[in-house]
Amino acid sequence: FGIPSFQHTRIPPVETITCGSIQDPVAQEWVRFRVEGLAKVIGELRDHARALRSDAAVLFNPAFPRLDNAAAEKSVSPCHFGRQADLFWAENRKFPRIDNGRVIHQVSAFKLGQAAGYGVLSTTWLGIGERDGLPSESRQVELIMAEAAAFGGVAGTNWALRPADRGRAFRVDQESLQKPLAEYFHFMEKHRDIYFKAKTSAQVALLYSSSSLTFNFAESHLAYIGMEQILLQRHIPYDVIFDDDMDSISRYPVLILPRVVCLSDSQIEKIRRFARNGGALFITDDCGECD
């Protein structure tokens, strides 16, 4: 830690753990402690629920992913909390659409869920408030259902019945919205053996470096979501792998490292072995700058 003792050490102030770059080792360790602590609590709640009922499904809403440093600000990291429950809401404003040439999507949430082994329910809004965030066209309903089905999410809706405007309930009472919703539910039920047993056939692995995306958020996060945008717009199937699961990279012909500034010696050795065995590496920016 670069200090002789912890006698006078205090919890790091908020501004040191929410900035674009977290370099203080005490602040880094504080973030790790909180992330691991939250995941431990979720795991304890899951174990208690299943002790009461073995087939209980445990669902949490970490409001992830959004455009914030979730690990530093909310102690939320998918490779930690994601292995402690069955289902998670992905609540944000990423209603699927094209906005000024940008792909707005929930694919990130679905891919991270697949990597960690949890199911993702899309809780997404069009606008800031619930009223202006609700769908008004059948095409919008079709998009959110189809996106989840195509990318391994749990096809469904959070806005079919939800309190809004100080207690007034919103419900899908428009036939133009009911029809596509019912059609997709029936389609998924009819083909459940296909969708629920589907396995990825992606040939590209995108590395999700929790350390880089936490301690170098401003730059590494842009590189990560930018690479996802390229892959999606080029229609290239890909899987996300976590930096603590790099033994699995041998399954893929191609590995992408989007500004993964934090790499340990053991991780670098695994990447070297991958390349020596014929794997193709796509590396951007300052990879491996920090150990």
Side-chain angles (χ1 to χ4, degrees), residues 35 38 64 70-71 75-82 208 210 214:
V35 165
L38 177 62
F64 176 85
S75 308
V76 167
S77 176
C79 55
H80 291 84
F81 75 76
Y208 184 97
S210 55
T214 300

Side-chain angles (χ1 to χ4, degrees), residues 68-119:
D68 60 357
N69 189 342
E73 297 183 27
K74 296 182 293 191
S75 308
V76 167
S77 176
C79 55
H80 291 84
F81 75 76
R83 289 160 177 161
Q84 305 300 327
D86 304 295
L87 298 162
F88 286 89
W89 287 111
E91 184 164 12
N92 49 51
R93 298 190 189 102
K94 296 183 178 182
F95 211 103
R97 61 194 185 277
I98 302 294
D99 184 3
N100 293 325
R102 297 176 303 144
V103 181
I104 310 300
H105 59 86
Q106 282 281 52
V107 179
S108 295
F110 301 138
K111 294 290 185 181
L112 290 168
Q114 289 173 344
Y118 61 87

Side-chain angles (χ1 to χ4, degrees), residues 15-157:
E15 56 268 22
T16 65
I17 61 171
T18 57
C19 59
S21 177
I22 305 174
Q23 299 185 17
D24 177 13
V26 175
Q28 291 181 349
E29 193 62 26
W30 174 238
V31 172
R32 289 193 188 98
F33 170 78
R34 291 167 56 232
V35 165
E36 293 170 3
L38 177 62
K40 181 181 177 182
V41 169
I42 294 175
E44 290 173 349
L45 292 171
R46 175 206 59 202
D47 293 344
H48 179 68
R50 289 180 180 167
L52 300 175
R53 180 170 173 171
S54 60
D55 61 347
V58 181
L59 165 66
F60 287 93
N61 182 7
F64 176 85
R66 297 187 181 183
L67 295 177
D68 60 357
N69 189 342
E73 297 183 27
K74 296 182 293 191
S75 308
V76 167
S77 176
C79 55
H80 291 84
F81 75 76
R83 289 160 177 161
Q84 305 300 327
D86 304 295
L87 298 162
F88 286 89
W89 287 111
E91 184 164 12
N92 49 51
R93 298 190 189 102
K94 296 183 178 182
F95 211 103
R97 61 194 185 277
I98 302 294
D99 184 3
N100 293 325
R102 297 176 303 144
V103 181
I104 310 300
H105 59 86
Q106 282 281 52
V107 179
S108 295
F110 301 138
K111 294 290 185 181
L112 290 168
Q114 289 173 344
Y118 61 87
V120 177
L121 297 94
S122 180
T123 311
T124 185
W125 306 96
L126 276 164
I128 296 175
E130 290 191 355
R131 170 177 279 185
D132 61 351
L134 298 169
S136 58
E137 303 172 4
S138 61
R139 181 174 178 273
Q140 295 169 333
V141 177
E142 292 168 352
L143 268 175
I144 192 171
M145 296 286 283
E147 182 189 48
F151 290 100
V154 180
T157 167

Side-chain angles (χ1 to χ4, degrees), residues 165-177:
D165 295 336
R166 298 182 180 179
R168 183 183 66 82
F170 169 84
R171 61 189 177 89
V172 180
D173 52 6
Q174 301 176 43
E175 185 178 352
S176 61
L177 301 184

